[in-house]
Amino acid sequence: DGGITQSPKYLFRKEGQNVTLSCEQNLNHDAMYWYRQDPGQGLRLIYYSQIVNDFQKGDIAEGYSVSREKKESFPLTVTSAQKNPTAFYLCASSPPGPYEQYFGPGTRLTVT
Amino acid sequence: KQEVTQIPAALSVPEGENLVLNCSFTDSAIYNLQWFRQDPGKGLTSLLLIQSSQREQTSGRLNASLDKSSGRSTLYIAASQPGDSATYLCAVKRGNNRLAFGKGNQVVVIP
């Protein structure tokens, strides 16, 4: 089955710790994206990558970092510099051009 | 900056009624518009994709229209069912391959 997997589904961390969220796709898509979703807000773009070894900041990149060493994988690290890290994080991918974006099941991160 | 608005934030309809959800955007220079469904605590499921050159798309009970000149899209769900209860989000694709999302319409279909 083709799709996007995110792990873990739930993640709990203490304040001040860095944490890495996993995103893997087997759709052979070039582009991958990380979004953050908070209650009452739309999805906000954190980082995106259109090709391996290249990525760009989205609208709310501060306190986050990414890497894109393989086409299939786009991990997101939430650093201790992120002031309000508790949120629902969604990974997505798409082929190049005007095509659909597909989403993973999400990771809910809680930092206390 | 592209802004996408979905009003109302929440609505309830009796089972069997047609659902009409509206999405408006400020910049008509879009590549496409995508409607998604999101169930609580889950990821987004793509429902329909309308290219900028198209006026509408249909899939089963769902129909979405696009009027770029007025910056509007409408999602129609015919003969609503309790299983249609979810949040519906629209998103427009910009020139840099990025999506701009609305905040969604939270729909409850009452049996």
Side-chain angles (χ1 to χ4, degrees):
Chain A
D1 278 332
I4 302 172
T5 56
Q6 291 186 244
S7 60
K9 187 172 182 179
Y10 298 98
L11 194 51
F12 298 88
R13 280 294 182 270
K14 294 288 187 188
E15 204 171 302
Q17 293 179 335
N18 291 354
V19 60
T20 297
L21 282 60
S22 167
C23 177
E24 305 274 334
Q25 54 101 358
N26 61 3
L27 300 167
N28 200 33
H29 288 167
D30 289 308
M32 296 186 74
Y33 308 81
W34 274 106
Y35 295 91
R36 170 182 172 137
Q37 188 176 35
D38 296 282
Q41 300 220 29
L43 274 70
R44 293 182 289 169
L45 183 65
I46 305 172
Y47 267 99
Y48 64 109
S49 167
Q50 306 218 50
I51 198 166
V52 173
N53 291 323
D54 188 43
F55 48 82
Q56 289 80 38
K57 292 182 180 180
D59 300 315
I60 55 163
E62 186 175 346
Y64 299 98
S65 66
V66 293
S67 62
R68 186 85 187 276
E69 297 174 3
K70 298 188 298 182
K71 190 175 186 178
E72 304 78 23
S73 178
F74 191 40
L76 173 74
T77 297
V78 185
T79 75
S80 56
Q82 169 48 232
K83 291 185 171 55
N84 295 299
T86 294
F88 189 50
Y89 290 87
L90 288 157
C91 177
S93 72
S94 69
Y99 300 107
E100 286 174 282
Q101 210 167 100
Y102 296 88
F103 280 77
T107 292
R108 184 165 298 281
L109 172 65
T110 302
V111 176
T112 56
Chain B
K1 181 186 172 187
Q2 177 72 271
E3 294 194 2
V4 181
T5 303
Q6 293 182 252
I7 295 172
L11 68 158
S12 300
V13 296
E15 183 178 359
E17 270 199 13
N18 296 335
L19 260 171
V20 180
L21 305 177
N22 294 304
C23 172
S24 60
F25 48 94
T26 53
D27 186 348
S28 61
I30 64 170
Y31 279 104
N32 59 42
L33 185 144
Q34 199 168 351
W35 280 95
F36 295 89
R37 169 186 172 134
Q38 186 177 31
D39 293 292
K42 307 287 188 186
L44 276 62
T45 300
S46 180
L47 297 174
L48 289 168
L49 174 74
I50 313 176
Q51 301 295 351
S52 62
S53 58
Q54 297 175 317
R55 298 284 292 183
E56 66 176 345
Q57 276 287 347
T58 298
S59 175
R61 294 185 295 114
L62 276 59
N63 174 277
S65 64
L66 175 64
D67 184 342
K68 265 187 19 174
S69 61
S70 66
R72 291 176 190 271
S73 175
T74 301
L75 177 67
Y76 298 89
I77 302 178
S80 60
Q81 304 168 359
D84 295 328
S85 298
T87 297
Y88 293 84
L89 297 115
C90 78
V92 297
K93 192 164 205 173
R94 303 173 275 181
N96 52 7
N97 217 28
R98 296 165 52 162
L99 290 182
F101 282 85
K103 293 183 181 179
N105 303 112
Q106 187 176 4
V107 172
V108 174
V109 179
I110 304 165

